[in-house]
């Protein structure tokens, strides 16, 4: 990672930790608990200041943070009303919950603010999952999926939109996935293997189109109305195609996107094509033979035209509409995180697909390199959502583990034996350290394997 990438990662992580720990801090103050230390980072204190009873500090190891409350050591019970353990259990549950909740609020506000300034949507991602084309060698073609079919279930999602399908495909990459589709009005249940040589962190949207291509618009694709929309000397130029022509069909297939026609041409190879175009009110037929040429996506059969992209809507939502859209976006993101966790326990998702600090740092750096503020804000919102959910897992030393113990003790109406609790915490700490080491090693392995 470059110096710039490290700085960007630490900046984003610092914001996440600051918000998380402020949640604990604010809840403790509201409950009347004395806060001794508010720290960003661990280890040696670098600098800070003291205000009232609290030492606000920055520490040497910037991978996290903590809030130290008076009397919060296990088994330490006093009569001091400012001590953490002197407060009722429901107060302590609120304090533990407040950190993750603060991360959820941050994720919500980030997406809401983004949508109030720039809300860009590709229409096909949020529409019923109608299939435009299925490559002949795809496992989905072998499962019987055909152009015009509608996917009505994908894994455990009924009536999925295409962004659901794309996310779950990444989740179960190289694994079989069950789905259902409507073909001529009949529901068909099927299974397809998501075959790919790429790992999820390298798998892009273009790779997904080797499975099948969604219908990205209702109208057939149109050649762009620009001077260079038809390449000189290309099959399309020799056939007399012009900018503004609408491609009604190619050998009987009606494409609705660049991706669909490219996938179709790869299956056809160098076979002659009967192309039907609409030019104004006139319908024309043209014969051409695709030729292989290089492009950003490699060497492929092409006809030499630039097509108009699918419709995209860019607008600014009002406060309420942005809040609703943000809630839906974060709910969908939380559902995806839940599916990842379930997949890990059921062994449908490999731990190797997860990203640690290095992987997250790379994602943050990539977001900073992209145009506009949208990528980095969306990345920060997803990290904040992940941080909130991860901290709610019922694992000792995490907020969720503390909440679990407090709930158990509330049911038992007595404290859990401190020696038992201490042993559980020790085992959990070792497990988390080992897991973190594995994730970092996995990040390093990905970097090494990506080198030429």
């Amino acid at each position: 990672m470059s110096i710039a990438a490290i700085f960007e990662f630490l900046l984003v992580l610092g914001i996440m930790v600051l918000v998380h720990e402020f949640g604990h801090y604010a809840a403790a103050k509201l409950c009347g608990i004395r806060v001794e230390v508010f720290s960003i980072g661990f280890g040696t204190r670098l600098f800070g200041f003291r205000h009232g009873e609290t030492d606000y500090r920055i520490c040497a190891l910037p991978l996290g943070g903590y809030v130290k409350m008076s009397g919060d050591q296990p088994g330490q019970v006093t009569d001091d009303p400012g001590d953490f353990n002197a407060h009722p259990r429901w107060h302590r549950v609120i304090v533990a919950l407040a950190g993750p909740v603060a991360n959820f609020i941050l994720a919500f506000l980030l997406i809401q603010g983004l949508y109030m300034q720039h809300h860009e949507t590709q229409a096909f991602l949020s529409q019923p999952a109608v299939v435009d084309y299925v490559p002949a060698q795809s496992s989905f073609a072998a499962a019987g999926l055909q152009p015009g079919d509608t996917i009505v279930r994908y894994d455990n999602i009924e009536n999925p939109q295409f962004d659901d399908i794309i996310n779950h495909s990444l989740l179960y990459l190289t694994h079989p996935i069950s789905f259902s589709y409507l073909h001529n009005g009949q529901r068909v249940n099927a299974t397809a293997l998501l075959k790919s040589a790429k790992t999820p962190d390298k798998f892009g949207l273009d790779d997904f189109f080797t499975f099948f291509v969604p219908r990205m618009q209702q109208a057939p694709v149109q050649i762009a109305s620009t001077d260079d929309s038809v390449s000189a000397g290309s099959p399309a130029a020799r056939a007399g195609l012009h900018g503004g022509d609408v491609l009604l069909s190619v050998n009987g297939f009606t494409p609705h996107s660049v991706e669909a026609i490219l996938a179709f041409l790869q299956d056809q190879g160098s076979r002659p094509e009967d192309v039907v175009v609409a030019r104004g009110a006139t319908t024309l037929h043209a014969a051409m033979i695709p030729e292989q040429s290089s492009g950003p996506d490699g060497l492929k059969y092409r006809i030499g035209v630039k097509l108009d992209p699918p419709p995209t809507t860019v607008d600014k939502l009002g406060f309420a509409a942005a809040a609703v859209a943000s809630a839906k976006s974060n709910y969908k993101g939380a559902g995806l995180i839940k599916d990842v966790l379930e997949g890990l326990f059921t062994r449908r998702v490999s731990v190797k697909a997860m990203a640690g600090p290095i992987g997250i740092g790379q994602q943050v750096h990539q977001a900073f390199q992209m145009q506009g503020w949208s990528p980095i804000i969306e990345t920060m919102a997803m990290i904040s959502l992940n941080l909130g959910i991860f901290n709610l897992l019922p694992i000792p030393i995490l907020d969720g583990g503390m909440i679990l113990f407090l709930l158990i003790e509330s049911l038992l109406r007595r404290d859990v034996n401190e020696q038992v609790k201490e042993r559980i915490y020790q085992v959990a700490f070792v497990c988390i350290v080992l897991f973190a080491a594995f994730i970092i090693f996995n990040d390093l392995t990905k970097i090494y394997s990506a080198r030429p």
Side-chain angles (χ1 to χ4, degrees):
M1 291 175 66
S2 66
I3 298 298
I6 293 173
F7 173 77
E8 291 159 356
F9 171 66
L10 293 179
L11 175 64
V12 170
L13 181 65
I15 294 172
M16 301 296 110
V17 171
L18 177 65
V19 169
H20 182 90
E21 298 305 331
F22 180 78
H24 292 311
Y25 170 87
K29 287 290 190 179
L30 288 173
C31 290
I33 298 170
R34 193 164 51 250
V35 177
E36 297 176 347
V37 177
F38 185 108
S39 176
I40 302 299
F42 298 101
T44 305
R45 184 184 192 273
L46 297 179
F47 57 88
F49 64 93
R50 175 172 290 278
H51 180 72
E53 61 195 17
T54 308
D55 177 22
Y56 302 88
R57 62 174 67 167
I58 302 292
C59 292
L61 187 61
L63 298 178
Y66 65 94
V67 168
K68 171 68 174 68
M69 288 166 274
S70 175
D72 62 357
Q73 296 301 313
Q76 181 182 351
V77 180
T78 69
D79 295 329
D80 187 340
D83 284 357
F84 179 75
N85 287 328
H87 280 249
R89 292 189 181 95
W90 68 272
H91 275 194
R92 287 177 271 167
V93 169
I94 289 175
V95 173
L97 274 173
V101 168
N103 284 122
F104 297 148
I105 293 172
L106 175 62
F108 173 84
L109 292 177
L110 283 170
I111 297 299
Q112 183 189 21
L114 174 63
Y115 287 172
M116 290 176 66
Q117 296 300 318
H118 182 90
H119 183 240
E120 181 174 346
T121 55
Q122 290 183 287
F124 79 94
L125 289 175
S126 57
Q127 291 179 349
V130 180
V131 176
D132 203 24
Y133 187 72
V134 187
Q137 300 303 314
S138 167
S139 58
F140 286 85
L145 191 67
Q146 298 180 30
D149 292 347
T150 301
I151 296 177
V152 292
R153 179 184 62 83
Y154 201 74
D155 190 31
N156 60 350
I157 302 179
E158 291 290 333
N159 300 314
Q161 297 173 342
F162 264 112
D163 57 350
D164 297 318
I165 291 174
I166 292 168
N167 287 332
H168 275 250
S169 295
L170 285 171
L171 190 60
Y172 298 123
L173 202 59
T174 72
H175 288 69
I177 194 162
S178 64
F179 66 102
S180 303
Y181 60 91
L182 291 181
H183 179 73
N184 294 332
Q186 298 294 316
R187 184 176 176 120
V188 181
N189 297 321
T191 301
L193 179 64
L194 299 173
K195 294 185 290 188
S196 176
K198 294 186 177 181
T199 55
D201 58 311
K202 302 295 183 183
F203 190 87
L205 196 56
D206 288 341
D207 300 302
F208 173 82
F209 295 141
T210 61
F211 299 153
F212 60 88
V213 182
R215 181 171 294 176
M216 298 186 184
Q217 60 188 43
Q218 296 305 311
V221 289
Q222 179 173 319
I223 300 175
S225 300
T226 58
D227 293 339
D228 61 347
S229 60
V230 179
S231 300
S234 67
R238 292 195 295 269
L241 268 58
H242 296 170
D245 287 350
V246 177
L247 296 182
L248 298 180
S249 68
V250 181
N251 271 10
F253 168 64
T254 301
H256 298 85
S257 66
V258 174
E259 291 76 14
I261 192 170
L262 275 176
F264 176 79
L265 291 176
Q266 306 325 299
D267 286 341
Q268 297 293 100
S270 58
R271 291 174 52 187
E273 307 289 349
D274 176 31
V275 180
V276 182
V277 301
R279 184 176 298 164
T282 305
T283 300
L284 304 173
H285 286 258
M288 67 181 73
I289 299 176
E291 297 175 351
Q292 283 189 318
S293 61
S294 296
D297 50 355
L299 185 65
K300 290 188 175 183
Y301 284 98
R302 310 175 198 271
I303 59 175
V305 296
K306 292 182 180 179
L307 304 176
D308 286 334
T312 299
T313 301
V314 180
D315 53 14
K316 295 183 179 181
L317 300 183
F319 183 88
V324 172
S326 176
K328 290 180 179 178
S329 175
N330 280 284
Y331 179 79
K332 183 170 288 190
L336 184 62
I337 296 168
K338 176 188 74 68
D339 290 338
V340 170
L341 294 173
E342 288 181 358
L344 289 172
F345 283 106
T346 58
R347 303 183 69 179
R348 292 191 64 189
V349 176
S350 172
V351 178
K352 293 184 178 180
M354 299 183 69
I358 297 174
I360 295 171
Q362 290 178 318
Q363 294 173 16
V364 169
H365 182 60
Q366 290 170 3
F368 269 102
Q369 297 299 107
M370 296 172 72
Q371 185 177 6
W373 284 97
S374 296
I376 186 58
I377 291 176
E378 290 171 345
T379 300
M380 288 176 65
M382 182 53 69
I383 292 174
S384 191
L385 193 62
N386 272 272
L387 183 60
I389 292 175
F390 178 75
N391 271 280
L392 281 179
L393 294 178
I395 300 173
I397 82 172
L398 298 180
D399 296 326
M402 177 186 290
I403 293 169
L404 178 63
F405 272 124
L406 288 169
L407 293 177
I408 291 173
E409 290 173 346
S410 295
L411 291 174
L412 296 176
R413 296 190 176 183
R414 60 180 175 82
D415 290 346
V416 174
N417 182 278
E418 287 303 324
Q419 289 185 337
V420 172
K421 191 185 293 187
E422 184 177 348
R423 294 292 179 269
I424 293 174
Y425 274 108
Q426 289 171 346
V427 171
F429 177 77
V430 172
C431 290
I432 287 180
V433 169
L434 292 175
F435 181 74
F438 173 80
I439 292 296
I440 293 172
F441 175 78
N442 187 45
D443 284 345
L444 293 172
T445 303
K446 290 177 184 177
I447 293 174
Y448 180 78
S449 62
R451 291 177 177 176

